[in-house]
Amino acid sequence: MPNTDCELIAELKVVLISQRYSPVVAGTYCAYARGFLDYLAQQRIPITEVTAAQVAHYLHHAVALFRKRHGRPPGSYWHSIPRSGIHALLRLAQGQWPPAPKATCAADTLRFAICDEYETWLREERGLAQPSIYALMWEGRNFLTWQLDRCGVYSLMEMSVGDIDRYMDMRSPHQTRKSVKDVAERLRSLLRYLHRTGRTAIDLSPHVIAPLLYAYEGVPSILERDQIAAVLQVAGKDRTPVGLRDHAILQLLATYGLRSSEIRNLRIEDIDWRAESIRIRHTKTRACSFLPLMAPVGEAVLAYLRAGRPATDAREVFIRARAPYRKLGMLANAVRRRLRDAGVKPPGKSGPHIFRHARAVEMLRAAVPQKVIGDLLGHRSTESTAPYLKLATEDLRAIALDVPGMEVLS
């Protein structure tokens, strides 16, 4: 191996150790990265020009080599180990991985230009939150790829209602009515932007047909108080680092009804232990709420910080349990696992949001004003809180009037 490659491997090991990888894992990753460098040298491919397709080809080669050496195929997830080491090497050598896509034709150049401008417009002029921008950009890239690959670079100016109908027909199968409506709304946004910037002859956004959804037509699942208590009790018995983290997250969900993103973005400095308050950054409204730090929440978070949180420079409270130690991703899997451990089976969805629904219903039953509920949940207006009224079905039955009988007609 050339000296430059040896230096790169040595630097990779230092980076992995600094990211709190164990020495065993760091050594394994470096070994696979060294084998990948040898492969690149044989193929005369500079590491700065490696593509995702070449990495996939090498992993296929590595699987074949494993079968030849051991006389059996590797496990179904074995490839994730060499892939992780190779990706870490490429991030070090190229600055980022996967690499930014490069334009290979005129259609790619046009699509990249439109997407860059559209993303800037969504962020700077419309002021949307990052999750909203991500969803709109995904649909925009998908539509532009579909249209330009199908009809060519100059097809945007000649687009018709038929093109829009064909795209919606392509996107609609195997999706719920709510999902189809979301696709239509995101497509309308792109079409309005394309017309606004002069890339289409007419504004096609009014011609995007979406299913009609009725207000309060679906009642989502919620958890009753005894179910929440059971989940918290079972999770509290798990004293492992993951158990301490999940218990603290569940306490935040059950006590405040926070969104998943608000918990993931919670930072160390957001908790004022002396004042016994917690600052919540609402991701949708970009506003901040200061809430009292309830004792069960504070005790659970403190237990996690003392005995469960990995040593890291990250400022977010909740961190991945495995290196690289960075902000925790989605909470859905952890919540489902804890519900399953407690034997709680909601009739519908079982993600973090059911705790938010349960908190709203609990406050409704306690006669808390709708405005106060909206403030706690981080809603911009009382209209956003109104849908939670449909969850208190038992309360609505209790105050329902008797249906008049025939005596009214007499």
Side-chain angles (χ1 to χ4, degrees), residues 7-317:
E7 294 171 358
L8 188 59
I9 293 297
E11 186 178 355
L12 174 63
K13 188 170 185 177
V14 171
V15 170
L16 293 174
I17 294 298
S18 68
Q19 293 177 348
R20 306 297 197 278
Y21 283 91
S22 71
V24 174
V25 174
T28 302
Y29 282 6
C30 288
Y32 283 116
R34 190 178 298 108
F36 182 65
L37 286 175
D38 293 340
Y39 169 81
L40 293 179
Q42 294 173 4
Q43 301 295 322
R44 298 183 180 180
I45 302 174
I47 191 171
T48 55
E49 299 178 8
V50 172
T51 64
Q54 291 168 337
V55 174
H57 182 269
Y58 173 76
L59 290 174
H60 180 75
H61 167 74
V63 169
L65 188 61
F66 183 99
R67 183 184 292 108
K68 181 179 179 180
R69 288 176 175 174
H70 300 277
R72 61 176 179 83
S76 56
Y77 298 102
W78 174 85
H79 66 279
S80 65
I81 301 175
R83 183 179 61 193
S84 298
I86 293 169
H87 285 182
L89 173 71
L90 293 171
R91 281 193 296 270
L92 179 63
Q94 296 190 7
Q96 72 174 59
W97 188 265
K102 297 180 181 179
T104 58
C105 60
D108 288 346
T109 302
L110 177 61
R111 184 173 71 253
F112 293 163
I114 293 175
C115 288
D116 289 343
E117 296 171 12
Y118 183 46
E119 185 173 6
T120 302
W121 180 71
L122 292 173
R123 181 184 302 107
E124 298 183 359
E125 296 198 28
R126 292 194 59 189
L128 299 181
Q130 189 57 41
S132 299
I133 294 175
Y134 177 84
L136 288 164
M137 289 303 303
W138 190 96
E139 199 67 53
R141 291 189 187 95
N142 194 63
F143 174 78
L144 290 172
T145 300
W146 177 83
Q147 177 64 22
L148 296 177
D149 290 349
R150 189 174 61 95
C151 299
V153 176
Y154 302 104
S155 62
L156 293 180
M157 189 61 70
E158 301 171 356
M159 270 198 313
S160 65
V161 177
D163 294 316
I164 303 303
D165 290 341
R166 280 188 285 274
Y167 178 76
M168 290 301 297
D169 290 341
M170 182 270 294
R171 289 284 282 123
S172 297
H174 311 297
Q175 295 206 50
T176 63
R177 292 168 58 245
K178 176 64 169 62
S179 297
V180 174
K181 184 174 178 63
D182 291 341
V183 171
E185 291 176 350
R186 293 192 289 262
L187 182 59
R188 289 191 191 109
S189 174
L190 174 68
L191 293 173
R192 283 193 293 267
Y193 177 78
L194 291 176
H195 181 63
R196 184 174 182 268
T197 55
R199 289 187 170 94
T200 57
I202 59 174
D203 183 7
L204 293 169
S205 60
H207 301 283
V208 181
I209 300 175
L212 180 63
L213 300 182
Y214 299 96
Y216 319 142
E217 68 176 56
V219 179
S221 58
I222 63 171
L223 297 175
E224 298 298 334
R225 175 49 54 182
D226 59 338
Q227 292 177 314
I228 294 176
V231 174
L232 292 174
Q233 181 181 11
V234 172
K237 295 179 180 179
D238 186 353
R239 308 309 293 177
T240 65
V242 174
L244 294 172
R245 184 196 66 193
D246 291 353
H247 184 239
I249 290 173
L250 291 170
Q251 286 285 2
L252 285 164
L253 288 171
T255 304
Y256 304 113
L258 301 180
R259 299 182 180 93
S260 173
S261 56
E262 292 165 352
I263 292 179
R264 291 186 292 109
N265 293 328
L266 185 67
R267 298 171 66 87
I268 298 291
E269 56 267 24
D270 290 333
I271 303 177
D272 190 336
W273 299 99
R274 293 182 180 275
E276 296 184 350
S277 68
I278 181 171
R279 177 174 60 184
I280 304 300
R281 296 183 176 90
H282 299 292
T283 51
K284 287 193 174 181
T285 62
R286 297 186 179 180
C288 288
S289 295
F290 290 87
L291 305 175
L293 181 62
M294 307 304 290
V297 176
E299 292 171 1
V301 172
L302 191 60
Y304 168 65
L305 293 176
R306 285 176 171 172
R309 188 175 185 270
T312 176
D313 295 332
R315 299 302 298 169
E316 286 79 13
V317 173

